[in-house]
Amino acid sequence: MAYVQKGKGKHLLLLHGYLSSKEAFAAQIEYFSKFFRVTAIDFIGFGNSTSLTMPFSVGEYAKWLQAVMEQLKLQKPHVIAHSFGCRVAVKAASENADLFDKIVLTGPAGIIVNRGFKYKCKVRVYRLVKRFFPRFAERRFGSKEYRSLSPIMKESYKKIVNEDLRGCAQKVKNPVLIVQGESDG
């Protein structure tokens, strides 16, 4: 597991987005380390942490995060999470109300799901094409991000993006601030 810690005071944990790393928080680490003991981690499978040996779900990332927090002795930190990091934070907080203090979710993927008619049509077309032309479907459908992944990361990605966390979000008891732009989702 790769991480960076800087500063003194109450713990602040930074959780990065998918295909990102702790380095995405360089400016935030510098700023917040003046006021907090900042810890930024690379989730397993990302940045300088070890690769996944099996596909992870959001729940498995949440369990991994709890183990990392125990190892680093992070007790009830504030959390700032981005995109995929929001998924993990919400899942973990929904299962353990005492894990975090206050939570800031930025561009919270999987929390606010806006899947309209167009999205549902794309999924149906993909499934139909995949049934008859799987290699074509693999090359032509899905995001550039998805197509760049290793087979294990593709399976993990499918588990992650197909999990609707609205039920988990309703169980979170911590104070939460959501920062979301019109194009986030």
Side-chain angles (χ1 to χ4, degrees):
M1 172 216 23
Y3 68 97
V4 63
Q5 286 186 317
K6 187 172 182 178
K8 294 182 180 177
K10 176 147 179 72
H11 288 281
L12 172 63
L13 178 62
L14 304 177
L15 303 175
H16 64 77
Y18 204 80
L19 292 184
S20 189
S21 67
K22 64 189 176 307
E23 282 75 24
F25 286 115
Q28 291 83 3
I29 293 166
E30 282 303 312
Y31 177 78
F32 286 118
S33 66
K34 297 172 190 170
F35 312 101
F36 299 97
R37 175 72 168 156
V38 178
T39 302
I41 63 166
D42 283 340
F43 283 111
I44 187 169
F46 301 100
N48 293 318
S49 284
T50 59
S51 298
L52 289 177
T53 57
M54 60 179 246
F56 265 39
S57 65
V58 177
E60 289 162 322
Y61 274 106
K63 287 180 181 134
W64 179 87
L65 176 62
Q66 288 184 54
V68 166
M69 289 175 61
E70 286 177 26
Q71 184 180 351
L72 297 177
K73 297 179 176 39
L74 301 179
Q75 295 179 357
K76 206 156 180 158
H78 295 311
V79 175
I80 298 175
H82 175 68
S83 189
F84 163 70
C86 297
R87 291 178 189 264
V88 178
V90 166
K91 185 75 169 183
S94 74
E95 295 173 353
N96 182 347
D98 295 323
L99 189 63
F100 305 130
D101 195 352
K102 296 175 183 171
I103 303 170
V104 176
L105 304 176
T106 65
I111 313 305
I112 301 169
V113 181
N114 300 318
R115 293 188 172 162
F117 179 73
K118 185 177 176 183
Y119 174 84
K120 291 175 184 175
C121 285
K122 283 175 77 173
V123 169
R124 287 190 180 119
V125 169
Y126 166 73
R127 288 182 181 155
L128 180 65
V129 172
K130 184 178 177 188
R131 183 179 301 163
F132 298 105
F133 307 102
R135 285 169 55 204
F136 175 80
E138 190 71 26
R139 286 191 318 267
R140 302 294 284 174
F141 286 85
S143 67
K144 183 179 177 184
E145 177 181 87
Y146 175 77
R147 291 191 304 266
S148 73
L149 300 173
S150 70
I152 288 176
M153 290 300 282
K154 280 183 180 175
E155 291 305 311
S156 186
Y157 185 88
K158 288 180 207 174
K159 286 182 170 187
I160 292 164
V161 300
N162 288 316
E163 185 170 353
D164 183 349
L165 296 171
R166 288 180 286 186
C168 291
Q170 292 174 346
K171 295 177 186 175
V172 175
K173 303 297 181 209
N174 309 73
V176 176
L177 172 65
I178 297 176
V179 179
Q180 179 167 338
E182 287 181 18
S183 298
D184 292 335

